[in-house]
Amino acid sequence: MPFSLQHTIYIQLSPERITARNIHTGEHWSDTPHIALAERGRKVILAVGSNALLAAQEPGVTVHNPLGHPRTLVSDFTLTEQLMKYALARVGSRGLCRASPKVLVHPLGDPEGGLAQVEIRALRELALGGGAARSLVWQGPPLSDQEIASRNRPREGELLN
């Protein structure tokens, strides 16, 4: 594998789960895509994932699933972008010399007719807004770290930024 300061993060999204994996370091994070919000003069994120469900017990806290819409994967663009930032921070590079990662977004599920072009663009924009230097969307079977790192990885359904 060639030397690079830039890491590749593989993010799988579904209404039930978000999974992020740094294919270079092996760091992995997986949780529910819930976000707990509280009104504190403005809306403040209190917790993400299963911790958000626990925070819901506090008064004035609401829990949202930004990936939980019956017709499309992304129901709330702003909250999904925050979810992406959180996921990238959990598995991204740390330290003084951090490079923004390349992000491969893999929406799980098989919508009839595939994803619409606007949905693909939204997923790319979400990754970029979350801190990615470059984003790709993959529609197809789950990929291994070796397939992602390989220059000969499958190209079916891949859209480049």
Side-chain angles (χ1 to χ4, degrees):
M1 176 168 44
F3 175 79
S4 173
L5 291 176
Q6 193 174 47
H7 290 261
T8 300
I9 309 293
Y10 180 44
I11 296 182
Q12 294 177 308
L13 298 173
S14 78
E16 296 82 30
R17 185 153 282 315
I18 178 172
T19 301
R21 189 172 71 238
N22 185 324
I23 69 159
H24 300 286
T25 66
E27 287 183 85
H28 178 269
W29 173 76
S30 183
D31 210 333
T32 63
H34 295 99
I35 296 179
L37 297 175
E39 188 69 39
R40 306 253 165 91
R42 61 182 178 87
K43 292 195 182 219
V44 176
I45 297 175
L46 296 179
V48 174
S50 53
N51 291 333
L53 299 174
L54 296 173
Q57 298 170 3
E58 295 179 31
V61 175
T62 58
V63 175
H64 302 270
N65 181 350
L67 301 177
H69 192 277
R71 292 188 312 263
T72 184
L73 179 60
V74 178
S75 62
D76 186 311
F77 191 90
T78 304
L79 288 180
T80 304
E81 189 174 68
Q82 294 302 312
L83 192 59
M84 286 282 201
K85 283 182 185 179
Y86 185 82
L88 292 176
R90 292 293 303 255
V91 299
S93 59
R94 292 173 180 79
L96 295 174
C97 192
R98 293 190 319 199
S100 295
K102 294 180 284 186
V103 175
L104 179 62
V105 180
H106 184 190
L108 298 177
D110 191 20
E112 186 177 328
L115 294 174
Q117 188 177 25
V118 70
E119 293 172 302
I120 293 167
R121 181 169 180 181
L123 292 170
R124 288 177 38 225
E125 294 292 328
L126 286 165
L128 293 171
R134 185 168 176 229
S135 63
L136 304 117
V137 173
W138 169 256
Q139 296 180 73
L143 299 171
S144 69
D145 292 350
Q146 294 77 19
E147 288 173 314
I148 295 168
S150 168
R151 292 188 186 270
N152 298 321
R153 70 176 178 267
R155 296 272 183 208
E156 173 194 332
E158 182 178 273
L159 296 176
L160 298 176
N161 185 14

